[in-house]
Amino acid sequence: MAEADYVIVGAGSAGCAAAYRLAEAGRSVIVVEHGGTDAGPLIQMPGALSFPMNMARYDWGYETEPEPHLGGRRLVAPRGKVLGGSSSINGMVYVRGHAMDYDHWRDAGAEGWGFADVAPYFRRMEDWDPAGHGGDPAWRGAGGPLHVTRGLRDNPLHAAFVAAGAQAGYGVTDDYNGARQEGFGPFEMTVKGGVRWSAAHAYLRPAQATGRCTVVRGHADRLEMDGTRATGVVLRGGRVVRARAELLVAASAFNSPKLLMLSGIGPGAHLAGHGIEVVADRPGVGANLQDHLEIYVQYASKQPVTLYRYWSLAGKAWVGLQWLLARRGPGASNQFESCAFLRTRAGVPYPDMQVHFLPIAVRYDGQAAAEGHGFQAHVGPMRSPSRGAVTLRSADPADAPRIFFDYMSHAEDWADFRRCIRLIREVFAQAPMAPFADREIGATAGAGTDEQLDAAIRDHAESAYHPCGTCRMGRADDPMSVVDPEGRVIGVERLRVIDSSVFPRITNGNLNAPSIMTGEKMADHVLGRRLPASNLEPWVHPDWRTAQR
C-alpha cells in the first residue's frame, strides 16, 4: 500500500502545479495518474498539436450526449489521459482571463479569489521575458516554472490582421495578459525552446526531482471513505493509495465530479438511483458545466503565403525534420500567434468575444484543410448563460460519465454568436486585409441572414475544449457549492477539489493558465499560506457603457 502526506488524483495542469508546491514545501506527495508517458514528438512538437488530442493513447475519448440545440450532434470532448493531462494535448494557448472574471468569482461567494488575490499567483508561476516580448514587468512574472513566449509572427497575415482590427476602430494591445486585454495583438503560448512546455515539464518533473513526489499509475475507481472522512483512493484492481493528511482531486471537469459521485458525494437521489450509498448530499456536484463554443470563419487567400504550403506529405516531412534537428521552423510554434479580445456591443464592460487567428484554413483536429491557400478566425462568445451537467452513466467506474452541456439553450447565445461572425467579417473587409482576403469559404460562406447564420452555427459550431465548473466553489452555506474557497469539499473531511471544476464561472479565453493558477493557489491553501494581494488595476474602456469599440 502506497502512502504519503498528500495524494493528488490527476497529473494534469492543476495537479502537477499543486504537487510541485507541496513537495517544494517539504511534504510527501503521491500523484495518481491513469495515463502514460508524454514522451515523443507528437506531444512535444507544438506544430503537431492536432495529433495527441485525437489519439486514444493520450485522450479519454469522451463525447457529449446529443445536443438538442446543435441538431442532435455529439461533440467530441477531449481530456488528457497522459502525464501533464490536457496541458500535454491542448493548443498551448496562454490566457490568464480578465481581471473582472475573478472579481465575479469573489462576488459569487469565492472569497479570496478576486483578481487582487489571484494576480500574484499568475506572476509566481510565469517565466516571462518582458525585454524580449514586451509587456509591463509589474504585471508579468519571471523565473517561474511555466515558460510563456510568443511566436515569430513572421507571416504577413499576422500584421495585416492586427492592422485591420485597428482600422476597424478597435484598440491594439501589447499584452492581453497585462493591464489591457481588450484589442488586437500577439498571442502567447506555453512553449520553451520550440518544445511544448506542459505542466509535466514545468511542475511534475521538478516535483519528482525533490525526491518527495512519486507518480503511481492506476485508474482511480473511487475514494476510500471512513464515514465522512476521506482516507485514500481505491485504484482499479483494489489497490489503495492513502493520504496521511489530505486527498486532493484534480481529475478534470469531467472526472472530478464523476469520482466524487462514485464515492457517495453528490446529488443524493441521483446516487441512490445508481445504488451508491450517499456520504454527502451535494446537489452541485456535476452541475454548472460550462464551455466555450466557437466557429471557424474562413477565407481563401489571394497570395500563397499561408501554412498550406506545408500541407503536402513532403511539406510536413520538412517541418518535422526542422523541428527534430533544431527545434525550429513552423513545428516550433502552435501557429496561434495573433488574436483579439473584443466587446460585441456597448454596455458590456469587458471583452465577451475571443478571436484565434490562424494563417491556414483547417479544422482544429487537423483532419481537413481547405483546397488551397486560406486563413481563418476561430470566433465565439466568452460568457454563455447555458449550463449543463456531468452525471453518472452507471455505478461502474469503467463507464464514461454522461456529459451534457446543453449548448446554445438561450436566445442570448444565438444573438451573441451572430454578432461574433459579423464583427470578424467586418475586420476581414478592412483595407489591410485586401491584398490577402479573397472570398469567404467554409461553414459560414453565404450565410447572411440570422436564419442562415443560425443554421451554420447549429451544424458547425465546435467546442473550444474549455470545460469547467462542475464542482463549483462558493460559500459553505450555498447548497449548490461543492467546495468552499479553500477547496475543501463541503460536508467531507480531508478532501479538496483543486482543478477547473471549481470555477464558479468560465473565464475569458483558454483555460490552461487559470487551471494551473488554481492548482498553485490551492496548494497554498493546503499549506496555510497566502501571497500578498496585488494592487494592479486593469484597463477598462472608458466609454464601455455607450461604445462597442
Side-chain angles (χ1 to χ4, degrees):
M1 182 185 67
E3 186 175 272
D5 295 335
Y6 296 93
V7 174
I8 299 174
V9 182
S13 299
C16 290
Y20 172 66
R21 294 304 179 187
L22 293 173
E24 179 189 50
R27 309 306 198 269
S28 63
V29 182
I30 291 175
V31 180
V32 175
E33 173 57 48
H34 182 49
T37 177
D38 61 332
L42 290 181
I43 280 182
Q44 300 305 327
M45 182 167 63
L49 64 89
S50 65
F51 289 98
M53 73 170 57
N54 292 286
M55 296 175 65
R57 176 178 177 181
Y58 302 126
D59 171 35
W60 283 91
Y62 294 149
E63 63 179 12
T64 72
E65 296 298 299
E67 290 287 345
H69 308 288
L70 295 178
R73 289 189 290 140
R74 292 181 182 267
L75 275 61
V76 294
R79 286 295 87 188
K81 185 182 65 177
V82 58
L83 293 178
S86 294
S87 75
S88 289
I89 69 167
N90 68 357
M92 291 155 282
V93 174
Y94 183 82
V95 182
R96 288 178 169 184
H98 196 280
M100 288 187 179
D101 289 325
Y102 300 102
D103 289 347
H104 179 274
W105 286 15
R106 177 199 62 207
D107 297 344
E111 185 179 349
W113 288 82
F115 178 68
D117 305 298
V118 304
Y121 288 93
F122 281 117
R123 292 194 66 207
R124 184 175 80 175
M125 71 196 226
E126 285 181 358
D127 184 15
W128 170 256
D129 178 14
H133 297 297
D136 185 347
W139 282 77
R140 306 308 301 263
L146 190 69
H147 195 87
V148 181
T149 189
R150 293 177 180 174
L152 297 175
R153 304 178 78 218
D154 52 1
N155 189 300
L157 284 163
H158 290 294
F161 171 70
V162 174
Q167 185 156 317
Y170 296 101
V172 174
T173 177
D174 172 58
D175 183 3
Y176 65 84
N177 282 316
R180 176 173 175 158
Q181 185 189 69
E182 185 171 330
F184 285 70
F187 234 163
E188 295 182 3
M189 54 185 168
T190 50
V191 171
K192 181 178 182 180
V195 175
R196 175 193 292 271
W197 205 244
S198 67
H201 280 307
Y203 289 99
L204 185 59
R205 292 189 177 92
Q208 291 174 298
T210 68
R212 292 183 289 273
C213 174
T214 57
V215 175
V216 170
R217 291 284 307 282
H219 187 287
D221 278 359
R222 61 179 175 84
L223 306 178
E224 182 187 62
M225 304 294 299
D226 181 6
T228 58
R229 186 170 178 263
T231 56
V233 57
V234 181
L235 306 184
R236 182 76 41 88
R239 285 188 298 156
V240 179
V241 180
R242 291 222 166 92
R244 288 187 288 267
E246 286 187 274
L247 190 62
L248 313 178
V249 176
S252 82
F254 302 146
N255 285 327
S256 289
K258 175 190 170 186
L259 185 60
L260 263 58
M261 288 186 281
L262 288 171
S263 308
I265 305 162
H270 176 60
L271 303 187
H274 287 294
I276 298 171
E277 182 181 352
V278 178
V279 172
D281 186 357
R282 302 304 309 175
V285 175
N288 194 46
L289 176 62
Q290 300 162 63
D291 190 15
H292 291 139
L293 273 182
E294 62 184 13
I295 197 165
Y296 310 156
V297 179
Q298 300 178 318
Y299 279 71
S301 176
K302 295 177 181 176
Q303 299 189 42
V305 296
T306 76
L307 295 174
Y308 185 74
R309 75 186 82 166
Y310 303 115
W311 194 253
S312 68
L313 187 60
K316 291 178 182 179
W318 170 238
V319 169
L321 185 63
Q322 286 186 85
W323 185 83
L324 286 168
L325 294 178
R327 300 295 189 262
R328 298 180 64 181
S333 169
N334 63 359
Q335 298 304 328
F336 291 114
E337 297 182 355
S338 296
C339 68
F341 291 90
L342 310 177
R343 292 177 302 109
T344 61
R345 54 189 171 85
V348 177
Y350 69 103
D352 60 337
M353 169 183 172
Q354 182 183 14
V355 183
H356 297 67
F357 180 74
L358 191 62
I360 186 173
V362 64
R363 265 174 37 190
Y364 194 30
D365 61 10
Q367 299 302 306
E371 291 301 319
H373 285 276
F375 55 87
Q376 68 191 37
H378 302 203
V379 300
M382 288 291 95
R383 294 186 290 280
S384 167
S386 294
R387 296 293 183 270
V390 171
T391 52
L392 294 178
R393 200 170 299 279
S394 76
D396 184 351
D399 281 350
R402 182 178 180 272
I403 300 165
F404 178 57
F405 283 97
D406 203 15
Y407 291 120
M408 305 297 291
S409 56
H410 290 254
E412 179 183 332
D413 289 317
W414 298 92
D416 288 347
F417 231 122
R418 291 193 294 266
R419 275 194 291 268
C420 289
I421 296 169
R422 286 172 169 144
L423 288 173
I424 200 61
R425 282 172 167 170
E426 181 190 2
V427 171
F428 285 151
Q430 300 298 313
M433 292 299 298
F436 308 102
D438 187 358
R439 67 192 187 283
E440 189 170 348
I441 58 176
T444 59
T449 67
D450 285 1
E451 293 74 18
Q452 290 169 334
L453 286 172
D454 288 351
I457 295 163
R458 186 178 303 111
D459 293 341
H460 298 286
E462 297 184 11
S463 170
Y465 311 140
H466 300 163
C468 64
T470 49
C471 296
R472 182 170 68 83
M473 175 169 53
R475 295 184 304 274
D477 61 357
D478 181 342
M480 293 305 291
S481 295
V482 177
V483 303
D484 68 12
E486 303 278 327
R488 297 172 297 205
V489 176
I490 300 163
V492 180
E493 302 167 65
R494 294 168 30 109
L495 179 63
R496 302 189 199 225
V497 180
I498 62 166
D499 62 7
S500 63
S501 305
V502 308
F503 293 7
R505 188 174 73 177
I506 197 166
T507 56
N508 258 21
N510 310 65
L511 298 194
N512 190 45
S515 298
I516 292 173
M517 178 279 296
T518 300
E520 284 255 10
K521 191 170 185 291
M522 286 297 191
D524 268 12
H525 286 289
V526 170
L527 294 167
R529 65 189 189 189
R530 200 79 56 88
L531 292 177
S534 168
N535 60 3
L536 295 170
E537 290 289 337
W539 183 90
V540 176
H541 195 294
D543 300 319
W544 67 265
R545 291 177 179 83
T546 56
Q548 182 262 326
R549 64 189 83 178

